[in-house]
Structures are given as structure tokens and as C-alpha cells.
Amino acid sequence: MRPDTANGKQDSGPDAATLALMALGWTLSDVGRADRLLSLTGLNADALRAGIDNPAILGAVLAFLADHEPDLIACAEAIDTTPAALIAAQKRLSR
């Protein structure tokens, strides 16, 4: 068993792609946030759909969240993970 993180949630859990997909679902659940994702990443809905299994696209979703700490924290809470786990997943996907 791995040690607990600072907020009491364990750091074991879904792999990087799964975390990114969960984060994408959370991001798209709000129209304003979804529009901001598309605007800031340069993606459009078709590119997002086509690249759903592309590590670079999934990494871009997590980078989008990492660039706005309130969303990063809210997303982590909503998908029952930690902000650090999302950042680590983004780094793994961006290699």
C-alpha cells in the first residue's frame, strides 16, 4: 500500500490516460470551461474526438487544467484524485 498524500487520498489509482479522460469529461461538463479549453488549446471538437486516444491531446487537456489552478483543484476533487496526480499524468502523457 502506498502512503497517503497530503490531502489523505492515496496516490495509487487510474493510469495517466484514464485520468486524462476523466478530466476531459469533467472539463466538458461545463460549457464555458469547454469553450475555454478549445480556445486555449487550439483544438476543435472534431480534433478532440479524433485524438481522444492520442497522448498529446490528453496531455494538452491536463496542461489546460494545470494552467488554471482553481480548475485543477476542482477537477481533482470531482474525479476523486489529487492535483499532483493530474500533473504527474500530464507529464507522463507529454513525454
Side-chain angles (χ1 to χ4, degrees), residues 2-92:
R2 295 182 179 167
D4 288 342
T5 58
N7 70 356
K9 295 179 182 175
Q10 293 192 354
D11 66 356
S12 63
D15 66 18
T18 301
L19 278 175
L21 289 169
M22 293 167 66
L24 176 60
W26 179 84
T27 300
L28 297 177
S29 70
D30 177 84
V31 173
R33 195 170 41 240
D35 286 344
R36 198 168 79 243
L37 169 71
L38 297 177
S39 175
L40 293 176
T41 62
L43 296 168
N44 61 37
D46 290 334
L48 192 56
R49 276 191 288 278
I52 200 73
D53 60 349
N54 181 328
I57 298 291
L58 296 176
V61 170
L62 293 176
F64 164 79
L65 292 172
D67 287 342
H68 191 249
E69 188 175 17
D71 280 349
L72 177 69
I73 292 168
C75 178
E77 289 176 0
I79 66 173
D80 197 31
T81 192
T82 65
L86 291 173
I87 297 298
Q90 187 267 329
K91 289 178 182 176
R92 286 192 303 273

